[in-house]
Amino acid sequence: MVTDSIATPRRGLLVGNYCHDVLHRDGRVSAETLGGAASFISVILDALSLPFHTVSKVGPEFAYAAATSSHPPLTIPTSRTTLFHAHFGSGNPDRLLNRVISCDPIRPDDLPVQTRFAFGLAVGVGGEILPETLEKMLEICDTVFVDIQGLIRRFGPSDGRVSHVTLNESGFLHLLPRVPFLKASADEASFIDVEEARRWCCVVVTHGKDGCEVFSENGAFQAAPFKAYQVDPTGAGDCFLGGFAAGIVRGLSVPDAALLGNFFGSLAVAQVGPLKLDSNLVQVCFSQYFCHQLV
């Protein structure tokens, strides 16, 4: 018999601004797309039939209202939509990222009042999630998944070049003991004391084509990757986190949820912009490959 967590999923809270992304390859604009972790993750939560409320801010010039109509953002008349320029080069495999425009931050009073959520995802990309906002999420959500990029990113004063500070310097460290799941890329993990963090929460570190590692107080393990032909790595970590969180919420074990995250991450790199998924096909794959664990 399928558990109640599969039959009647409870509502979640997705917090992070939508963005305009401009992709440059070898000095030339190659694509302009909807961006922001919330845009990638919302597709996965919808595909796995998890109901959720989105809190995301944009400016009045936001170009993707139709694409986000199911989970509309808050339009801030006095602000502009967060804009990122991502630079890729054939001679440099690493992405260089600049935040050119920053929308208003998401504050605690932007979150729904008098509502409790089964799960929450704190997925800022442009510095929009404040410590007090994450603290409020921890108060109103049963389980919160946090992407470390929203906590440790900093932006150059002249060009908005993305860099990082350590978690100790971020202003969020005091909240770590209350965070059940913390996700980081391999590069971002160097700004965390993983051995310390794993005493308080489950730390998931993504390694791109090599899958991911999961660290907890009880031990560590690796989850195998899915093969993919990479077109654009933007959003792969976001899609991983969406799949991982959805797996946990739907009742999967942490190892199976990590595999589900790897699966969605592999789909993300094969496309430009937010995932285009066949929801019926995703449901069939989820049921056949994972739900046997829940019977």
Side-chain angles (χ1 to χ4, degrees):
M1 184 173 207
V2 177
T3 64
D4 287 344
S5 64
I6 293 293
T8 55
R10 294 163 58 207
R11 199 174 187 215
L13 177 65
L14 179 61
V15 179
N17 285 348
Y18 294 138
C19 306
H20 291 161
D21 281 354
V22 179
L23 310 183
H24 300 256
R25 193 166 300 277
D26 294 323
R28 306 179 72 172
V29 173
S30 60
E32 298 185 26
T33 72
L34 170 64
S39 68
F40 289 90
I41 292 172
S42 62
V43 173
I44 293 168
L45 299 184
D46 281 339
L48 291 173
S49 300
L50 284 171
F52 62 97
H53 177 82
T54 299
V55 179
S56 183
K57 289 184 175 180
V58 299
E61 89 293 8
F62 181 57
Y64 300 100
T68 57
S69 59
S70 298
H71 307 287
L74 302 170
T75 300
I76 310 301
T78 56
S79 188
R80 294 177 64 192
T81 303
T82 300
L83 170 63
F84 279 96
H85 283 203
H87 300 269
F88 304 87
S90 54
N92 182 4
D94 295 329
R95 178 183 67 168
L96 299 178
L97 194 61
N98 297 71
R99 187 192 68 179
V100 180
I101 297 171
S102 175
C103 194
D104 284 2
I106 298 171
R107 304 185 184 279
D109 57 6
D110 294 315
L111 305 182
V113 297
Q114 298 180 337
T115 303
R116 183 151 194 92
F117 298 89
F119 66 97
L121 290 110
V123 291
V125 293
E128 69 268 29
I129 293 182
L130 308 175
E132 54 266 35
T133 306
L134 178 56
E135 186 168 22
K136 183 65 175 180
M137 290 185 67
L138 292 166
E139 292 173 1
I140 64 175
C141 300
D142 294 343
T143 302
V144 177
F145 302 83
V146 177
D147 194 329
I148 194 69
Q149 70 178 353
L151 313 187
I152 66 171
R153 277 185 173 182
R154 296 297 182 267
F155 308 93
S158 60
D159 61 359
R161 177 61 54 83
V162 174
S163 61
H164 301 90
V165 298
T166 66
L167 187 58
N168 288 353
E169 302 171 287
S170 69
F172 289 89
L173 182 64
H174 67 289
L175 298 173
L176 188 61
R178 298 169 59 189
V179 172
F181 296 96
L182 183 69
K183 174 261 173 188
S185 69
D187 290 339
E188 293 162 347
S190 64
F191 295 89
I192 313 167
D193 186 338
V194 174
E195 289 304 312
E196 178 184 10
R198 69 191 289 185
R199 295 169 46 212
W200 304 108
C201 63
C202 180
V203 181
V204 185
V205 179
T206 58
H207 292 278
K209 64 181 180 60
D210 296 318
C212 70
E213 292 181 280
V214 180
F215 302 87
S216 70
E217 189 176 18
N218 298 323
F221 66 88
Q222 292 183 319
F226 289 78
K227 291 183 179 181
Y229 175 76
Q230 181 170 298
V231 175
D232 174 23
T234 305
D238 305 325
C239 291
F240 169 89
L241 181 58
F244 176 82
I248 295 294
V249 172
R250 294 288 294 264
L252 295 183
S253 66
V254 171
D256 276 338
L259 283 174
L260 187 62
N262 285 345
F263 170 70
F264 280 110
S266 71
L267 295 181
V269 300
Q271 303 180 25
V272 176
L275 276 175
K276 300 173 182 64
L277 293 174
D278 183 326
S279 295
N280 292 330
L281 180 60
V282 169
Q283 287 285 353
V284 169
C285 291
F286 180 83
S287 298
Q288 291 184 348
Y289 190 74
F290 291 104
C291 284
H292 69 280
Q293 302 290 337
L294 304 168
V295 176

